[in-house]
Amino acid sequence: MNKSKIGSASIFTALFAALTCAGCFISIPLPGGVPVVLQDMMAMLTGLLLGPVYGTAAVFVFLIIGCLGLPVFSGKAGLHVITQGVTGGFLVGYLVSAFVGGLFLWLLLNPKKEHGKAKQWILVSIAALLATVVVFAMGIAGFMRITHKAFSATLGAVLTPFIPGNILKLVVMIPLTVKFRPVLARYMGFCE
């Protein structure tokens, strides 16, 4: 990868870290303590668009910013939000989901090769769903660790209320990824 591609990749990494931070400002609080935010969608989209390395790096930068004191964890900040908060599992899940979703697409939807539209839509849909499952699996585990609630009570608090919103997020993420992933791949040097 040449210097201009590395520069472009660094700029996109910083941009998507900022977009993930900004996602916390669109928040709908729910009684269970876990708000509906666009941040999870931005973190997953980051991995799907930038790939496993730069996507994970962007989400990592977002987590560092929050740990250092900027209130980007749904209005909260600090390492304790991750280690002791009810949303900590979700925040770590953002990082893992960016890697998993990005890796899935990087392995199966190589921008260097031609792929039919149907194959692109199917693989992007699977990657987005996989990233969503990772976020919720880690979020559920983290919530149970902090609250000591039973699995069924946890599902009622942190999964069920979010299903409609996450379906809408998938409906947005999938076409955005299909449209913009090839464009970003050219700028970032994935096609070389």
Side-chain angles (χ1 to χ4, degrees):
M1 188 184 291
N2 65 36
K3 287 182 182 181
S4 69
K5 300 294 183 184
I6 292 171
S8 294
S10 299
I11 290 168
F12 283 118
T13 300
L15 173 65
F16 277 87
L19 289 171
T20 303
C21 289
C24 81
F25 296 107
I26 301 170
S27 175
I28 302 166
L30 291 180
V34 179
V36 174
V37 293
L38 288 183
Q39 202 161 52
D40 60 339
M41 183 182 85
M42 292 309 304
M44 292 183 280
L45 191 59
T46 295
L48 298 176
L49 290 173
L50 301 184
V53 174
Y54 293 106
T56 304
V59 177
F60 185 71
V61 168
F62 149 74
L63 291 173
I64 294 297
I65 289 169
C67 288
L68 291 176
L70 213 62
V72 296
F73 300 152
S74 298
K76 299 174 185 157
L79 182 60
H80 70 281
V81 177
I82 294 175
T83 60
Q84 300 167 4
V86 293
T87 59
F90 285 95
L91 293 168
V92 174
Y94 294 174
L95 183 72
V96 177
S97 74
F99 178 77
V100 169
L103 183 63
F104 181 88
L105 288 182
W106 184 71
L107 292 173
L108 298 176
L109 195 60
N110 187 333
K112 295 177 189 176
K113 298 179 183 174
E114 282 294 318
H115 301 282
K117 280 288 183 193
K119 182 178 180 181
Q120 288 179 40
W121 281 89
I122 290 167
L123 290 175
V124 168
S125 298
I126 292 169
L129 187 60
L130 182 61
T132 302
V133 168
V134 167
V135 167
F136 275 98
M138 296 193 74
I140 288 167
F143 188 87
M144 288 176 67
R145 182 181 65 82
I146 296 300
T147 64
H148 305 289
K149 288 190 176 187
F151 184 69
S152 59
T154 300
L155 290 181
V158 299
L159 177 64
T160 307
F162 299 96
I163 291 174
N166 274 279
I167 290 171
L168 288 173
K169 290 174 187 178
L170 286 168
V171 167
V172 171
M173 275 193 307
I174 293 166
L176 286 175
T177 302
V178 169
K179 177 73 175 172
F180 291 110
R181 187 171 181 271
V183 174
L184 290 172
R186 279 195 309 273
Y187 281 105
M188 295 175 66
F190 297 161
C191 296
E192 294 179 345

